[in-house]
């Protein structure tokens, strides 16, 4: 008796598992790509520090925050501080992602520039003669140049320590010991009253050329038709050379209004910038998206916030004093990467992985098909062996077992045909072998069990032979 074979069903089960695993791997890879695309394109919220609260910078960033709410890539969350120095500290401590930082202050080590928010100029002037303080050593003498500030009191409009440090830089350039100049700082809200009260011999402000604060303070210095005297910083180039955070600038005639013009002619001075700084650790893609959105919304804000027109692209030179973030540089230089550029490597490797998995699956399938075809051939050979056994056997029970084995082989062969393991030609050959087996079994049964009439006839013949 020949035992039935389970080799073919096992191979069908193995192939099914391979197909399932391959499809699962492909589905997992596609799902990973979809999630990667979603996380790459979802809006990113960045915290930006700016101060003091209520200042023009604060109001501008507030407008930017509202405009960015319509952006698909970046959102802003505004964090109020006491000023640029406090904003820089918040950025250095990692509490925010962006900050409005003054260029001539200590630059955070973990920060790079994204854009220039505005450029500022230093304005030094002395009030009209009618407003000279009385009871002082120099009473009645109007300050007309910086070298005359020794022994005088200079009022600084803003309580920022950076403005006092800036004035000291100017004084040293003119060989004036800062200790010999009395520095007094006033808040913006109390500045005009201090000017009218003649509480200083000269005044200093630092801000944009079109600053309303500066224009208002200069107007307060000119009463009864008097004209304030503007102090030119003729050594601006030398100061900028020694202190790269400063630049040589020029204040145009009539920049602060009035009649006659204030100043009456262009004067030299030094300037510095306020920057939008960002953490170095932010991704290039995020910073590029922020920079792109910033210069896109700038246009729509200019009508309501003229300060928005002052926003400029950063210096992308490698030797720039303020280092620029690679993401901002990519936008400015027109080298910003598209989605495909950024993720082409990941997509390529994913496709390569899918291709490899498909190749492995095809290899296994191809490896199993020959085995299955061999198994089918083996089944055919088993039928032939069964046929030979059927012709030799003398047992009806063994013929029954051969028939049962043939039914099992037929069942496995039909399954293989349905799964595509064998073709029509192979199935035809199998059917011929199966028919021959059935014929052999039937013939052998007939030999082992002759018809009843033939058995009765055989008995007298044997008897006659005996007689």
């Amino acid at each position: 008796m020949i035992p039935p074979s389970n080799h073919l069903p096992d191979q069908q089960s193995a192939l099914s598992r391979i197909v399932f695993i391959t499809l699962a791997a492909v589905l997992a890879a596609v799902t990973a790509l979809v999630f990667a695309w979603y996380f790459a394109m979802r809006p990113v919220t960045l915290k930006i520090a700016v101060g003091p609260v209520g200042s023009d910078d604060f109001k501008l960033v507030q407008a930017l925050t509202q405009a960015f709410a319509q952006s698909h890539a970046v959102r802003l969350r505004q964090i109020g501080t006491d000023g640029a120095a406090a904003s820089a500290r918040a950025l250095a401590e990692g509490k925010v992602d962006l900050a409005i930082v003054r260029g001539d202050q200590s630059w955070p080590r973990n920060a790079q520039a994204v854009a220039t928010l505005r450029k500022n100029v230093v304005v030094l002037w002395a009030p009209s003669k009618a407003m000279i303080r009385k009871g002082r050593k120099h009473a009645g003498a109007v300050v007309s140049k910086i070298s005359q500030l020794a022994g005088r009191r200079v009022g600084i409009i803003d309580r920022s320590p950076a403005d006092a440090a800036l004035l000291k830089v100017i004084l040293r350039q003119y060989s004036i010991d800062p200790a010999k100049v009395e520095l007094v700082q006033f808040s913006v809200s109390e500045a005009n009253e201090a000017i009218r009260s003649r509480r200083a011999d000269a005044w200093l402000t630092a801000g944009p050329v079109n600053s309303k604060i500066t224009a208002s303070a200069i107007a307060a210095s000119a009463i009864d038709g008097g004209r304030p005297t503007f102090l030119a910083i003729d050594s601006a180039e030398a100061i900028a050379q020694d202190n790269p955070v400063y630049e040589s600038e020029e204040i145009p005639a009539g920049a602060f209004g009035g009649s006659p013009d204030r100043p009456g002619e262009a004067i030299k001075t030094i300037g510095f910038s306020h920057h939008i700084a960002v953490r170095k650790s932010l991704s290039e893609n995020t910073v590029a998206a922020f920079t792109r959105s910033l210069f896109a919304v700038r246009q729509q804000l200019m009508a309501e916030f003229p300060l928005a027109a002052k926003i400029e692209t950063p210096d992308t030179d490698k030797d720039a004093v303020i280092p620029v973030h690679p993401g901002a540089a990519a936008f400015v230089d027109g080298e910003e990467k598209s989605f495909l550029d950024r993720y082409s490597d990941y997509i390529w490797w994913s496709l390569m992985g899918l291709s490899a998995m498909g190749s492995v699956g095809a290899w296994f399938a191809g490896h199993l098909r020959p085995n299955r075809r061999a198994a089918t051939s083996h089944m055919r050979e088993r039928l032939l062996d069964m046929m030979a056994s059927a012709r030799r056997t003398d047992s009806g029970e063994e013929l029954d077992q051969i028939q049962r084995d043939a039914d099992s082989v037929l069942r496995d062969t039909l399954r293989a045909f349905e799964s595509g393991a064998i073709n029509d030609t192979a199935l035809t050959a199998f059917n011929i072998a199966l028919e021959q087996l059935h014929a052999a079994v039937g013939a052998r049964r007939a030999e082992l069990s002759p018809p009843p009439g033939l058995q009765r006839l055989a008995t007298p013949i044997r008897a006659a032979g005996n007689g």
Side-chain angles (χ1 to χ4, degrees):
M1 180 180 66
I2 301 175
S5 171
N6 294 324
H7 182 60
L8 187 58
D10 290 343
Q11 292 184 355
Q12 290 176 334
S13 177
L15 180 59
S16 299
R17 287 196 298 271
I18 291 172
V19 172
F20 175 77
I21 293 172
T22 302
L23 291 177
V26 171
L27 181 61
V30 172
T31 302
L33 287 175
V34 170
F35 272 98
W37 180 86
Y38 169 76
F39 283 104
M41 301 304 293
R42 67 173 180 168
V44 177
T45 300
L46 303 177
K47 292 185 288 185
I48 179 170
V50 57
V53 176
S55 64
D56 289 343
D57 289 348
F58 187 87
K59 294 176 182 177
L60 176 59
V61 172
Q62 193 171 39
L64 288 173
T65 301
Q66 295 173 357
F68 270 55
Q70 304 172 7
S71 170
H72 295 291
V74 181
R75 303 285 192 274
L76 291 180
R77 179 184 170 193
Q78 188 175 13
I79 306 296
T81 65
D82 294 333
S87 298
R89 286 195 300 272
L91 183 60
E93 295 169 0
K95 296 179 179 178
V96 295
D97 305 297
L98 298 154
I100 305 303
V101 179
R102 183 166 162 163
D104 62 335
Q105 289 183 318
S106 179
W107 188 264
R109 293 184 178 181
N110 65 332
Q112 292 175 318
V114 171
T116 299
L117 182 68
R118 58 183 168 90
K119 291 187 175 182
N120 310 282
V121 293
V122 174
V123 184
L124 267 170
W125 79 94
S128 62
K129 185 175 181 179
M131 301 190 68
I132 298 297
R133 296 192 308 129
K134 295 180 173 57
R136 298 284 293 174
K137 176 181 178 181
H138 300 284
V142 177
V143 176
S144 59
K145 51 187 178 181
I146 294 177
S147 59
Q148 296 174 345
L149 290 177
R152 304 289 188 121
R153 175 183 289 178
V154 178
I156 301 174
I157 302 176
D158 194 353
R159 294 191 179 279
S160 169
D163 285 342
L166 185 153
L167 178 57
K168 292 177 181 179
V169 169
I170 298 172
L171 294 175
R172 292 191 186 97
Q173 180 63 35
Y174 286 85
S175 300
I176 300 174
D177 184 356
K180 295 182 179 180
V181 178
E182 185 179 357
L183 307 182
V184 184
Q185 293 187 263
F186 301 91
S187 66
V188 173
S189 60
E190 62 188 6
N192 287 2
E193 178 59 31
I195 292 172
R196 295 189 186 98
S197 301
R198 308 175 185 182
R199 296 173 64 180
D201 301 302
W203 295 87
L204 178 145
T205 63
V209 172
N210 61 346
S211 170
K212 294 180 180 179
I213 296 174
T214 301
S216 176
I218 291 173
S221 302
I223 62 173
D224 300 328
R227 298 182 60 183
T229 302
F230 291 89
L231 311 183
I233 305 178
D234 296 319
S235 300
E237 289 88 351
I239 294 176
Q241 185 174 1
D242 294 338
N243 303 272
V245 294
Y246 298 117
E247 298 177 355
S248 176
E249 301 287 351
E250 186 176 82
I251 301 174
F256 308 117
S259 180
D261 290 341
R262 303 172 186 153
E265 58 183 17
I267 58 173
K268 294 186 66 174
T269 186
I270 60 173
F272 60 91
S273 298
H274 274 71
H275 301 275
I276 301 178
V278 64
R279 285 190 294 109
K280 289 181 182 180
S281 57
L282 277 185
S283 72
E284 183 175 335
N285 299 332
T286 299
V287 176
F290 169 80
T291 310
R292 182 173 62 254
S293 299
L294 174 65
F295 285 95
V297 303
R298 179 187 64 168
Q299 301 297 325
Q300 69 187 60
L301 295 178
M302 287 171 56
E304 186 177 357
F305 295 91
L307 191 61
K310 302 295 183 181
I311 300 177
E312 298 180 2
T313 57
D315 184 0
T316 59
D317 290 342
K318 295 185 181 298
D319 59 349
V321 176
I322 304 297
V324 64
H325 193 283
F331 169 79
V332 174
D333 296 336
E335 298 176 355
E336 188 178 358
K337 296 180 180 179
S338 65
F339 177 84
L340 289 178
D341 292 333
R342 296 196 300 266
Y343 299 102
S344 60
D345 289 344
Y346 298 103
I347 295 174
W348 186 83
W349 283 111
S350 298
L351 292 176
M352 288 293 293
L354 291 176
S355 177
M357 286 188 289
S359 299
V360 171
W363 182 84
F364 272 109
H367 178 71
L368 286 179
R369 282 195 180 96
N371 291 340
R372 296 178 69 180
R373 287 194 292 269
T376 305
S377 177
H378 174 67
M379 292 297 183
R380 207 164 48 240
E381 294 297 326
R382 290 185 69 235
L383 291 179
L384 297 176
D385 292 341
M386 291 177 190
M387 189 186 308
S389 298
R391 288 171 178 166
R392 292 192 304 266
T393 184
D394 294 328
S395 170
E397 293 180 357
E398 188 172 349
L399 288 175
D400 292 338
Q401 183 61 46
I402 290 174
Q403 187 64 57
R404 287 193 293 272
D405 291 344
D407 291 342
S408 177
V409 172
L410 175 62
R411 200 164 37 246
D412 291 342
T413 303
L414 291 177
R415 288 175 182 172
F417 176 75
E418 291 175 355
S419 66
I422 62 175
N423 53 26
D424 293 338
T425 303
L427 185 63
T428 300
F430 179 85
N431 285 335
I432 293 173
L434 184 62
E435 290 174 359
Q436 292 295 321
L437 174 62
H438 285 318
V441 171
R444 189 57 178 163
R445 284 186 187 279
E447 293 176 359
L448 294 177
S449 302
L454 183 60
Q455 292 178 359
R456 287 194 299 270
L457 181 60
T459 301
I461 292 175
R462 288 194 297 272
N466 295 331

